[in-house]
Amino acid sequence: MLGLILWCGGQVRHQPASLLTCAASAALLVALGEIGAWLRRRWHSRPRIPRGR
């Protein structure tokens, strides 16, 4: 679905790309989003070291 949205956006802006290229770009965007979500979950689940005051 994201690939189709990217393809339609290129058509509207008169910068056409192949549907395969748009699908590859969409897959890259999804992969980056998933990696970011994984890193965020990992960061928030790490043990906290209490600070002395």
Side-chain angles (χ1 to χ4, degrees):
M1 186 60 126
L2 184 57
L4 188 60
I5 292 170
L6 291 172
W7 182 79
C8 288
Q11 296 297 322
V12 168
R13 296 181 58 187
H14 302 292
Q15 296 177 349
S18 72
L19 192 54
L20 181 62
T21 304
C22 291
S25 296
L28 179 63
L29 289 173
V30 169
L32 288 174
E34 289 295 322
I35 290 170
W38 177 78
L39 286 172
R40 181 179 45 81
R41 285 191 307 269
R42 188 163 168 91
W43 179 262
H44 287 292
S45 68
R46 67 179 173 47
R48 304 279 188 235
I49 300 173
R51 292 183 177 177
R53 286 188 178 198

